[in-house]
Amino acid sequence: MAERKKLGDFLKDSGLVTETQIVEALNQKKKSQKLGEALVDQGYITEKQLLGILEIQLKLESVSLYQYQIDRSLISLVSKDFARSKLLLPINRENNRLIVAMHDPLDFYAIEELELSTGYNLQPMLATKDDILQTINRLYDAEEVNVEEMEGEDAPAVRIFDQLLETGVTLYASDIHLDPKENNVSVRYRVDGVLRSDRTLPKSLMNSLIARIKIMAGLNITESRLPQDGRISTYILDKKVNLRVSTLPTVFGEKVVIRILDMSNVFNRVSDIGLQEDTLKDYEALIKQPSGLILLTGPTGSGKSSTLYGSINELNSPESNIITIEDPVEYQLDGINQVQVNVPIGLSFAKGLRSILRQDPNIIMVGEIRDTETAEISIRASLTGHLVFSTLHTNSAIEAIPRLFDMGVEPYLVVSSLSGVMAQRLVKTVCKDCASTRKASPIEKELFEKRHMSIEEITTGMGCDACRHTGYRGRMAIHELIVITDEVKELMMNQASMQQIKKHVKEKGVRFLIDDGLEKVKQGKTTIDEVLRVASLDA
């Protein structure tokens, strides 16, 4: 019998990967990962491309579970733990054949175990990992909630809370919302910046579920009339995550929002942030200065904290004393001293910052400059040999300058201390599995011409199972970096208007948010609609 061709050979023959990429993937893959999964994780191929090759190699059909009419009675044949660990799900049966969606149809041990336990002959079908995991959560969770409801109000809420967290991690959600209604509790997940409804829970489970969440988050379970904030550190599906929990009393009960902070997604290097090559070079030079004030600007949820963490991680070494003061501490980083603001006991940003300056720091990160006192201490710290990072809520990088002036900080202090300002926004990225190119329309070409750019092709997502037919999967940042050069400082000292400073930096080649966004449209990473949603053409 002819030897079965290996997956790597199929991928090479199809031109999807090179021998070098295969070797790199094998060297970097996790212990339990197979080659195909490692290549997908490291971005060499998409899951759709992998599935296509496996269909040819194994002569199997693939299935979209998102659209498939699954026989729900079959899930009782397989435990949830077995289904999740083996990445498989029974979806239909035909006489004595059990049709099973599998991520790895070459897992003969799983096939044999399932055939022995069910008495059926198995017919594997290919499905993506995310599709299987999300379907497992949806089907098994619905069954378990029905059981909990029958057991009554005293039923343990542990399983339901675990289900919610597992689904959140599987969907790559940033937040879970539990919204109490008159007769039930609505569960929603924020995925790629958009809230989507997932399910409803019986109102009878609400009290025990909220009590469970409060106990884990270290909150007062007897207090339901006042908002509370807490945090949980745990492992979900073998991933370390930090959870920020916020409760809010409403007319129908307490609303709970859980922010999921996946520790594996923390930027380790500035190069992970997604800056264009020239901007990256300028920003790296900026953060490697021994002192100065570097500001990140943008609205809530624009990824400022992630960029800050990436920046201080880049500078993290045993020779540097790095101290942060945050509200709240989102990610806990090794080798960095992090302080949590606690206003009720008097630990504000300003008070904490004063104490930090007595701790012999090299680098300081202030979560946010909210008032004049914090601004002045941050600026004076940067003038006395410290590198200071912080954030401001402004619409553009340039607007950070008048914001500091409006806070009552002396202009000469701002001019002397400010090294650079970076604005950023988050845009959804085109799904790699269903990306398709088309010719740019005359209107789209005209839009690019207004920014002295040109475009011939536009990339959009057609919609597929991987992106839940939205055309987008994941998010990326667009940036605007202004380095405060001697020329800019001179303009500031001469009380030049923001328009004059803006004109000057534009002449010097600064790429504004709109320009960076359109450049990423040209690269096929996002769409014009997404860029115009967060950036103005009038920049």
Side-chain angles (χ1 to χ4, degrees), residues 29-42:
K29 77 180 185 73
K30 295 166 190 166
K31 191 179 283 185
S32 59
Q33 270 189 328
K34 293 183 171 63
L35 173 62
E37 199 176 342
L39 287 165
V40 172
D41 273 5
Q42 292 166 39

Side-chain angles (χ1 to χ4, degrees), residues 78-88 133 136 140 144 166 237:
V78 181
S79 72
K80 184 179 179 181
D81 288 342
F82 183 79
R84 182 181 280 127
S85 66
K86 299 298 182 183
L87 290 172
L88 55 78
L133 284 173
I136 287 171
Y140 283 87
E144 289 174 10
E166 286 167 5
L237 302 179

Side-chain angles (χ1 to χ4, degrees), residues 6 44 64 88 104 109 171 259 296 357 478 526 533:
K6 290 181 180 178
Y44 293 124
S64 162
L88 55 78
D104 179 14
Y109 291 109
L171 290 170
R259 168 67 56 89
L296 269 79
L357 288 170
I478 59 174
T526 188
R533 182 177 61 82

Side-chain angles (χ1 to χ4, degrees), residues 18 22 57 108 159 167 193 201 208 210 266 308 318 321 345 400 402 406 408 424-425 432 434 466 476 494:
T18 64
I22 289 173
Q57 185 192 19
F108 300 117
R159 278 180 292 177
T167 302
L201 297 174
S208 57
I210 289 177
V266 183
L308 279 177
N321 180 18
I345 63 167
D406 292 344
Q424 76 173 54
R425 301 287 187 281
K432 290 178 182 177
C434 61
M476 67 185 301
N494 292 332

Side-chain angles (χ1 to χ4, degrees), residues 89-108:
L89 188 70
I91 56 174
N92 211 339
R93 66 180 151 200
E94 294 173 0
N95 300 321
N96 198 41
R97 283 189 309 151
L98 186 66
I99 299 167
V100 180
M102 298 185 73
H103 179 59
D104 179 14
L106 294 176
D107 189 345
F108 300 117

